[in-house]
Amino acid sequence: MAMKPVIAGLVVSSVMILSPWPAAAVQVELGRDVDEQISANDSLQDVFPQIDAALPEGRVPASLVDGRPQPDGNPVPTEGNSVVLDHRAGPVRITWDLGANGEDCSRAQLKALTLWLVGIACKKMDSYQQHPPNFIGQLSVSVNGRDFTVIPGSRVELIAPHSQEFNRVAWAFQPGEAAGFRYLRVESFGHQGESVRIAEIDGWLDGITPAKSTEIATRVAPLPAEQVTFRLPVRSPTEPLPAVVRAIQFTGDQLVLKESGRALLNLAPLLAAPDARWTAVSRQLAPQEASRVFRRDDGLQQTRRLVIGPDQRLTLTCEVTVPAGAAPVAYTQTALVLAEALQTRFDGCTYGGVPSFVRRDHATSVEIGDWVPYLIFPCREAGVEVQLFMPAWYGVAGRIETFTGRALVRLEFFAAANNRRDQLADPALKLDPARWHPAARTLRPGETFRQQLNLAVFDITPPTLGQRDIETGGGLPLMFIDTGIPNQKAPGVATVLQRDKMLFMGFKLREPVKAKIGHSAVDCASTLTAPGMVERLHKAGFGAAVLMADEFIDVSHGVSFQARYDQAPPNYPALLRRLADHGITPVCWFSPRGFLNKDWQGRMKDRLVEQHPAWFVSGAHWFGNYQTLDTYNDAANQWVLDKLTQDLRNFPGLKGFAFDSFPCRGPVLGGPAETTMTQQEQDWLRRFSQAVHGAGQDNLLIANGVPPMADDSLSYDYIVTEHFPLMFLNQVLGGRAFGKPFIAHCQWRQMYGWYVTLGQMYYNFCDYDQALGWTHMTWLGWLNEQVAQARKPVDAEVVPLWYIMGKGRRVYAAEIAPKVRQIEVLMPDGASVIVVASLASWPADVQVVPQTIPPGTYRVAITADTALKHADFPALELPLTTGSGLALTRVAPCSLTVLRFAPCP
C-alpha cells in the first residue's frame, strides 16, 4: 500500500488523486492504546515551525518538536508540553521551512510523520476547558512557500471514540511519494470549531538535515546612526499614558461632554419617580448639579443628587429616610438606572473586579459582594469610556445589570436580604445561594438608607505593549488554575486597569515601592534546604521566600511539622537565618480559609477539621478537599490571629506571611449584625494585617492577589498575581505585585523548561517590570535532580538571566521586529543592560538602538541563550552616539541575547 496513515481499530479508507504524486490508497486505524513513544532524535527535533494563528494559553510552536527523554530515559508525550490550536477562525497551518539556512532541498523526501493528540483524561491543570482530541487534517508541501500541494490520501478524520489519554496519528511514505519540497505543512481543520491539543509532531526525512532552531548563529556589529532604518518611540510603549479626564456637564436630563456637547448618558430614568407611589416634591437642574426629592404615600422620602466637582468627577448619592415625627416604614430596595443617550452606543462593559471585558450582546447580571461594583463602559467610536465605582460597598447587598433595554446599567441596593446561611441551606425556601434575595427592612424616623457612587469620563488610553499581550493572549484570569469546577472561567476577554484612573475613581492604593525586592519563591522548607538552593536563589535575584509546610503544602497555616502546629521542621531557625544572610526575607504560607479535610496528594489531613467541626461550613472547595472556615465564627478567626502572633513570637527570624484563599466573597449575611461576608472578611483582614505589622515594622504580608476591591490593598505589602493576565497589577499597585511566569504550570517540560525563563522575560518583565512569584522550584526545574537532567547548565546560564529580572529595573521596552523585543534594564550597581528577547520561530535581523543609555564609549559584553545552547561573543568597544546602536543578524528563535554596557575609562 502506497501510504499508510496509522492511528491504531476502526478502519476508514479513501482515495485521492492529485498531481504530481500518484494516487495513494490510505488506511486509517483508530485505537484506544498507544504503545509507541515520541522521538527525541527525529529530523524535526528542535526545528521550529511557524503557526499562522494565535495560540491560546501562551504556547509556542517550538514545543511541538522538543520531545525528549524523561528521567527513565523513555520519550513519552506529555500533556503539559503541548500546543492548543484555536479553530474558531478556521483552519490552522503548521509549517516548516526546511531550507531556511540555504539547505539544498531538491532531494528532500518525507519518510514518515507522527502527530500526538492529547486526550480528555490528560486535562490535569485545565480540565475546566476541554479540548476534545478530535482531529481533521492533512499534509501538504511546497517549493516556494506560497503554493502548497496536498499530499494525496493524507487527509485524516479522527473523531471519538478513541483514547482518553493520547492518540497517535502516523503517516508512512514510500520513496518518491513526497519528495523535492522545501516547505512541509500540517493543516488542521478542527471539528465543529473545537480546538485541538497537540503534544508532539515527529518527522523523518531523507536527503536533507534541517538546521536546529536552537543553534546560535547570531552576529553583532556596530550600527552608525545614519544606517539606522528602524525608529523607536521616545516613550516606552510599555508605559501607559496619563489618564485624561473629560469635562462634563448636565444639559437638560443629559450628561454631555462639555467641549463638544455630545450626549453620553440619558439621566431621565435616574431622575424620574421610582414608581407611581412616589411624587416629586422638589427639583434642581444646573450645568454642574442635578437633584430630585421624592416622597412616597407612606411618608418615606428619597433624595437623588448628582454633583460634578471641580475635578470633573461626578458624585451620585441616593438617600432614603423617614422624616422626624413620621411612623416607621418598611423599605426593600433602591434601583438606579443610567441609560445611553440616543447618539451614543457603548461597546460593552469591563467588570473591574476580574477584570474582563464583555460585549454588550453578552451582558449579564452580577451580585455585589461576589463582584466589585467597578464598571467601565468604553465607546471607541467616541474615544471615551465612562467609569462607575462605589467605594463604600463592602457592607452592601445589591445587584448590577448591564445593557437591559436602553439601560446602560441598573443598580439595585437591598435594604435587607434573606441570605443568612441557614436560609440559603433551607430546602423549603428554594433560595439560589449565588443570588441576593431582597427582604423588607423597617426604617425608623431619622434613619437613612444611603448609597454613593462615583462616575467619570476618560479618554480611552492607547494600549500599552502589555495590554496588547493580555488582551490577545487567549487567557483569562482563571486560565491556569483548576478548582474542580467544570468550565470555570471568567466571561469575556481579559483586559487591564490603570492606577491613575482607579485613584481618581476612589480606590485607596499604597504608594509605589522605593526599591525592587526581587523574586519571591514559594516552596517547602525541605526543598529550600537542599544543597546550594539558597545560594541559587540569591544569585537569581530572589528577595523573598515563602515557606510551606511539607505536610500541608498550599493548605499550610504558618509553621507546623507532621501536621502539628506546636512543632517546627528540623533546623527551622537556621533556615530562616540562612535566607536572611543571603538577603532573602523569609515569610510563611498561611491559608486562613482552607483546611485539608483528607489525606490528598501527599498532603496530610488537618486535625482541626475534626477537633472543631463548628468552625467550618458544610461545603468544601478545591475538588472537595479543602474544608472552608466559617468566616463568621469568632473562635476560628481568633485561632488564625493567635497562630499568626504565635509564629512571629516563637521565630524572630520569620518576617511575615503570605495569604492564600482569602478573603472569601459571596452573597451571604451572618453574625449578630447580619453583615455581608465581604465586610466581615475585610474587618478580619485589617486585624490580621495589624497583628503581622505590629509584631515588626519590617514584616511583610503578601496576598495571593486579585485586583483591588477598594482599600484592601492597604493591608498588604505585596500581592502575587497567580494568573498571567493579572500581571498589569504591578503597575496598578506601584511595583507591589509578583507574577507567575507565563505558562509556568507546564513546569519542566515545554521547550526543556526554557520557556519559563523566556516567557517571564518577554511578558512579565518586559511588559510590567514584574518579578517572579508563586512558583515552586519544580516549576523552574531548579531541584537538584532536575538540574542534573537539564540541557543547559542552570547556575551558569539560566540563573544570571533571572537576576536581571529580579533585581534589575526595566526602564524601556519596545518591539523591534515581529515577536522580538528590546528591553532596557538599570541594574542595582548602575550598570545598563539591554536584553533582546525573541519569541519568533524564525531567525531575526534587528537593529538595537539604546534609548536610555547616554552617548559615550562602552565595552559591550554579549551573551546569547536558547533552550539548549549558550554563546559568549567577543566584547565590543562601542562608540555610542545619539541614534546609533548595534546590528544583530540571525537572532536565534526563542532566544535571549544580553548586551551589558560598561563605560570605558
Side-chain angles (χ1 to χ4, degrees):
M1 188 167 291
M3 178 184 292
K4 188 179 182 182
V6 181
I7 317 170
L10 171 65
V11 177
V12 180
S13 297
S14 63
V15 176
M16 300 179 64
I17 301 177
L18 185 60
S19 179
W21 293 283
V26 181
Q27 184 177 16
V28 180
E29 299 177 354
L30 310 180
R32 297 181 178 277
D33 299 319
V34 174
D35 56 2
E36 295 187 20
Q37 298 175 335
I38 65 173
S39 172
N41 56 10
D42 59 291
S43 303
L44 297 181
Q45 180 76 15
D46 295 321
V47 180
F48 299 166
Q50 295 185 41
I51 300 181
D52 64 352
L55 299 178
E57 305 183 34
R59 306 303 173 115
V60 288
S63 66
L64 289 173
V65 291
D66 65 346
R68 67 181 184 87
Q70 296 298 305
D72 59 3
N74 295 317
V76 294
T78 59
E79 174 267 338
N81 188 28
S82 60
V83 165
V84 179
L85 305 183
D86 187 348
H87 288 94
R88 288 175 296 180
V92 177
R93 290 169 286 273
I94 306 170
T95 307
W96 285 265
D97 180 357
L98 305 178
N101 293 315
E103 294 89 346
D104 179 7
C105 299
S106 60
R107 292 184 294 177
Q109 292 199 55
L110 179 62
K111 295 168 57 181
L113 191 138
T114 302
L115 180 150
W116 298 83
L117 298 168
V118 179
I120 293 176
C122 291
K123 304 289 116 235
K124 297 171 183 175
M125 293 301 294
D126 51 355
S127 59
Y128 59 88
Q129 187 175 8
Q130 297 293 338
H131 295 286
N134 301 316
F135 176 75
I136 300 175
Q138 62 190 18
L139 307 182
S140 59
V141 292
S142 171
V143 173
N144 55 24
R146 298 185 303 274
D147 306 309
F148 280 80
T149 302
V150 176
I151 299 178
S154 64
R155 183 178 177 90
V156 170
E157 295 189 8
L158 171 59
I159 309 299
H162 38 68
S163 171
Q164 290 292 292
E165 293 189 356
F166 291 96
N167 295 272
R168 179 174 54 85
V169 182
W171 293 264
F173 301 89
Q174 296 298 326
E177 282 191 327
F181 57 88
R182 173 174 171 174
Y183 298 88
L184 172 63
R185 173 173 288 175
V186 175
E187 295 182 86
S188 176
F189 299 103
H191 175 254
Q192 299 178 347
E194 296 171 344
S195 55
V196 174
R197 185 185 291 273
I198 301 176
E200 175 80 4
I201 299 178
D202 294 334
W204 290 265
L205 299 161
D206 272 343
I208 187 173
T209 302
K212 303 294 186 185
S213 302
T214 49
E215 296 294 329
I216 299 172
T218 306
R219 298 195 177 195
V220 184
L223 181 67
E226 60 270 18
Q227 295 181 17
V228 173
T229 59
F230 181 77
R231 303 293 177 183
L232 287 170
V234 175
R235 183 185 179 91
S236 176
T238 58
E239 297 294 338
L241 293 172
V244 176
V245 184
R246 298 294 295 271
I248 52 178
Q249 67 179 25
F250 302 117
T251 299
D253 55 8
Q254 307 286 299
L255 180 68
V256 306
L257 294 174
K258 192 172 185 178
E259 183 178 346
S260 66
R262 173 168 182 159
L264 299 177
L265 298 178
N266 176 10
L267 304 178
L270 181 67
L271 298 175
D275 57 47
R277 295 184 62 190
W278 297 84
T279 303
V281 295
S282 72
R283 65 185 64 194
Q284 179 181 353
L285 190 58
Q288 302 301 116
E289 183 174 346
S291 66
R292 292 286 190 277
V293 179
F294 303 97
R295 184 167 294 131
R296 203 165 69 176
D297 53 18
D298 56 5
L300 195 64
Q301 183 169 297
Q302 183 172 153
T303 301
R304 299 183 177 186
R305 188 166 181 254
L306 299 92
V307 177
I308 300 174
D311 59 358
Q312 299 306 305
R313 186 174 71 182
L314 186 156
T315 302
L316 164 62
T317 57
C318 180
E319 292 186 352
V320 177
T321 186
V322 179
V329 176
Y331 186 67
T332 303
Q333 72 179 51
T334 296
L336 304 177
V337 178
L338 297 173
E340 293 176 296
L342 288 176
Q343 68 184 104
T344 299
R345 179 181 171 86
F346 291 89
D347 306 317
C349 177
T350 290
Y351 297 87
V354 177
S356 178
F357 172 75
V358 179
R359 298 200 319 262
R360 60 182 295 134
D361 56 338
H362 286 74
T364 185
S365 128
V366 297
E367 306 300 295
I368 297 175
D370 233 351
W371 293 68
V372 179
Y374 178 37
L375 308 174
I376 303 171
F377 298 95
C379 177
R380 298 199 174 276
E381 176 267 328
V384 299
E385 62 188 24
V386 171
Q387 295 204 6
L388 186 71
F389 178 53
M390 183 180 193
W393 68 273
Y394 291 156
V396 173
R399 182 170 298 134
I400 301 170
E401 295 178 351
T402 55
F403 297 103
T404 55
R406 284 298 299 174
L408 178 69
V409 58
R410 174 185 174 90
L411 301 114
E412 298 176 335
F413 304 110
F414 307 134
N418 295 317
N419 280 71
R420 297 192 312 274
R421 281 218 174 94
D422 60 330
Q423 293 172 313
L424 296 174
D426 188 345
L429 297 178
K430 298 181 179 180
L431 299 177
D432 183 352
R435 305 276 286 179
W436 287 109
H437 302 280
R441 167 186 166 191
T442 299
L443 297 180
R444 304 190 179 279
E447 190 175 0
T448 298
F449 181 63
R450 184 178 187 272
Q451 309 298 339
Q452 177 176 315
L453 298 103
N454 294 333
L455 184 149
V457 180
F458 301 94
D459 278 350
I460 295 177
T461 305
T464 62
L465 191 61
Q467 181 174 350
R468 190 184 71 187
D469 285 336
I470 290 170
E471 294 180 347
T472 61
L476 289 170
L478 293 179
M479 194 74 213
F480 307 136
I481 194 167
D482 183 358
T483 65
I485 302 174
N487 301 315
Q488 177 175 358
K489 58 183 179 180
V493 177
T495 187
V496 309
L497 306 176
Q498 287 180 248
R499 178 182 174 89
D500 52 358
K501 291 181 180 178
M502 296 178 74
L503 288 169
F504 188 85
M505 293 304 298
F507 285 88
K508 296 180 180 179
L509 307 175
R510 296 193 64 172
E511 290 299 314
V513 293
K514 295 180 179 179
K516 194 172 184 180
I517 189 176
H519 303 300
S520 170
V522 179
D523 224 312
C524 299
S526 60
T527 299
L528 296 181
T529 55
M533 184 60 69
V534 171
E535 290 75 14
R536 181 173 294 146
L537 295 178
H538 169 68
K539 293 176 181 178
F542 279 72
V546 181
L547 306 177
M548 289 178 165
D550 287 77
E551 70 277 14
F552 289 136
I553 312 180
D554 53 353
V555 212
S556 302
H557 304 95
V559 181
S560 63
F561 182 61
Q562 296 182 346
R564 294 195 55 166
Y565 291 115
D566 58 349
Q567 296 185 11
N571 303 314
Y572 197 71
L575 174 61
L576 300 181
R577 287 194 300 271
R578 190 175 173 199
L579 288 166
D581 290 344
H582 285 80
I584 302 172
T585 302
V587 299
C588 214
W589 184 265
F590 205 109
S591 179
R593 295 295 178 248
F595 289 70
L596 200 59
N597 60 19
K598 64 182 74 171
D599 292 346
W600 180 58
Q601 293 188 356
R603 300 162 175 85
M604 295 179 65
K605 180 177 181 178
D606 198 311
R607 298 185 181 94
L608 291 177
V609 176
E610 292 180 345
Q611 293 172 355
H612 302 281
W615 288 9
F616 300 89
V617 298
S618 57
H621 62 286
W622 199 264
F623 304 94
N625 296 303
Y626 293 7
Q627 204 69 29
T628 305
L629 199 73
D630 184 355
T631 59
Y632 294 99
N633 189 296
D634 288 341
N637 283 308
Q638 189 62 46
W639 182 89
V640 172
L641 189 62
D642 292 343
K643 186 66 169 66
L644 297 173
T645 305
Q646 168 189 309
D647 286 349
L648 293 173
R649 181 179 61 248
N650 292 345
F651 301 96
L654 187 64
K655 297 301 179 182
F657 296 92
F659 280 173
D660 185 32
S661 300
F662 180 80
C664 294
R665 288 189 292 181
V668 178
L669 299 173
E674 294 198 356
T675 56
T676 66
M677 180 180 289
T678 304
Q679 181 173 324
Q680 176 81 358
E681 290 287 76
Q682 292 305 314
D683 289 345
W684 277 107
L685 170 59
R686 295 185 189 99
R687 295 181 64 179
F688 296 158
S689 177
Q690 290 168 3
V692 173
H693 293 112
Q697 60 179 1
D698 296 328
N699 285 351
L700 299 180
L701 186 58
I702 303 174
N704 191 2
V706 295
M709 296 191 292
D711 67 350
D712 55 311
S713 66
L714 300 181
S715 297
Y716 298 125
D717 298 282
Y718 293 91
I719 73 165
V720 176
T721 58
E722 188 174 348
H723 313 291
F724 157 72
L726 295 178
M727 63 181 178
F728 73 90
L729 287 178
N730 201 41
Q731 188 271 330
V732 166
L733 297 173
R736 295 180 179 272
F738 303 105
K740 192 178 248 184
F742 205 50
I743 62 159
H745 73 279
C746 289
Q747 299 182 17
W748 195 225
R749 293 189 283 260
Q750 190 161 14
M751 282 183 64
Y752 315 101
W754 170 246
Y755 193 48
V756 177
T757 303
L758 177 60
Q760 175 83 21
M761 182 75 78
Y762 188 90
Y763 290 105
N764 302 65
F765 183 67
C766 170
D767 288 344
Y768 291 102
D769 191 20
Q770 192 178 53
L772 175 72
W774 202 167
T775 300
H776 299 280
M777 296 303 97
T778 53
W779 291 344
L780 290 173
W782 283 5
L783 294 186
N784 288 343
E785 62 270 20
Q786 293 173 317
V787 171
Q789 303 162 20
R791 305 291 287 273
K792 287 175 69 68
V794 170
D795 290 305
E797 298 176 8
V798 178
V799 162
L801 298 171
W802 284 99
Y803 182 80
I804 293 173
M805 296 183 279
K807 294 298 185 177
R809 179 168 60 91
R810 182 220 61 195
V811 291
Y812 184 92
E815 195 161 81
I816 54 177
K819 296 191 175 182
V820 182
R821 296 180 174 179
Q822 173 178 321
I823 309 168
E824 301 194 16
V825 188
L826 184 64
M827 300 306 295
D829 61 0
S832 292
V833 172
I834 293 181
V835 180
V836 178
S838 173
L839 265 184
S841 296
W842 53 88
D845 297 340
V846 297
Q847 297 178 344
V848 176
V849 179
Q851 300 297 299
T852 61
I853 302 175
T857 302
Y858 293 88
R859 184 181 185 274
V860 184
I862 308 166
T863 61
D865 285 273
T866 66
L868 302 180
K869 300 293 183 177
H870 173 85
D872 291 294
F873 295 77
L876 289 178
E877 185 170 302
L878 179 67
L880 187 64
T881 61
T882 302
S884 69
L886 293 164
L888 277 64
T889 57
R890 299 198 63 77
V891 173
C894 294
S895 67
L896 294 174
T897 303
V898 179
L899 314 170
R900 292 177 169 86
F901 289 73
C904 290

